[in-house]
Amino acid sequence: MDINSAGIAFFRDGTTDQIAQKLLGTTLNYRDATGQLFSGLIVETEAYLGEQDSAAHAFKGRHTAANDPLYGPAGTIYIYSIYGHYLFDVATQEAGVPQGVLIRAIQPIAGLEQMQMNRHQTGYNLTNGPGKVMAAFGIHDLNLNGQLAQQPPLWIDYSHPRQPQTIVASARIGVENQGDWASKPYRFSSGRQSLRF
């Protein structure tokens, strides 16, 4: 099985909320044009269940040029911008089923000093939000939109995950006005202030 096939299998093996939990403890990586490597353990995710989910970008089958990557095969990168902040999402399920997982927070591993310079921030607040993660990596555009998250320059390494001891489920953030699904417990984390692996 080649890397893309293996990645597609990983990102569609289970329901989207199960995949969101399975991503905890995997590693998000980015190698920029200078060769600088940024990476971190994924410690918080949110699941979005597509057409049925009133908080999802594809609710009721909404399909635009902007959210088209969600309709791609499992493992497709979906980057979008909110108020000037760029967020990283990865499609789950088979092509044509627009469900995905938002990567909300990471614990830095590599590139910490450059992340701190990019964000002018240190400590817990450095990468504890989806826009913060992308800003720390120095990603401020949609150039990687639609590519696969199985290989560089922006990829998720799921080969040696560090399984969290506990997973906390809660309501998603920033979707409070999005109907009945807003309060569903589809936000998953490995601990609020620090990793619990």
Side-chain angles (χ1 to χ4, degrees):
M1 180 180 293
D2 64 33
I3 188 170
N4 288 339
S5 297
I8 289 172
F10 174 86
F11 288 110
R12 72 177 184 199
D13 183 16
T15 61
T16 296
D17 56 308
Q18 290 172 339
I19 294 166
Q21 295 173 71
K22 185 169 64 170
L23 281 165
L24 296 174
T26 64
T27 306
L28 178 63
N29 305 277
Y30 173 60
R31 191 175 297 279
D32 70 15
T34 72
Q36 169 76 56
L37 175 66
F38 301 92
S39 68
L41 288 175
I42 296 172
V43 297
E44 186 175 325
T45 60
E46 286 181 347
Y48 288 88
L49 276 62
E51 298 176 349
Q52 61 183 323
D53 184 346
S54 60
H57 288 183
F59 181 49
K60 293 184 176 179
R62 182 173 181 267
H63 191 171
T64 67
N67 74 357
D68 184 67
L70 275 176
Y71 287 81
T76 300
I77 292 171
Y78 172 42
I79 297 174
Y80 58 96
S81 176
I82 297 180
Y83 304 121
H85 301 287
Y86 289 85
L87 285 68
F88 175 87
D89 196 296
V90 60
T92 58
Q93 310 310 318
E94 62 189 31
V97 180
Q99 299 188 19
V101 173
L102 173 67
I103 306 304
R104 281 201 52 87
I106 64 167
Q107 175 180 289
I109 298 173
L112 176 60
E113 290 185 4
Q114 186 61 51
M115 288 188 207
Q116 292 170 338
M117 288 190 285
N118 288 345
R119 284 266 297 122
H120 306 290
Q121 183 64 261
T122 60
Y124 178 73
N125 289 325
L126 179 64
T127 53
N128 68 329
K132 296 177 183 180
V133 171
M134 296 292 273
F137 281 12
I139 298 175
H140 303 287
D141 55 47
L142 304 176
N143 291 342
L144 297 172
N145 216 6
Q147 298 191 29
L148 293 177
Q150 288 89 280
Q151 55 196 14
L154 180 60
W155 75 103
I156 295 174
D157 182 356
Y158 48 82
S159 59
H160 299 94
R162 294 179 60 188
Q163 298 294 335
Q165 294 176 6
T166 60
I167 294 176
V168 178
S170 58
R172 293 169 294 187
I173 295 176
V175 297
E176 294 81 5
N177 62 345
Q178 298 301 311
D180 295 342
W181 281 66
S183 62
K184 290 189 179 293
Y186 287 145
R187 174 188 172 212
F188 304 100
S189 65
S190 56
R192 178 172 171 76
Q193 295 297 332
S194 62
L195 279 179
R196 298 175 182 174
F197 287 96

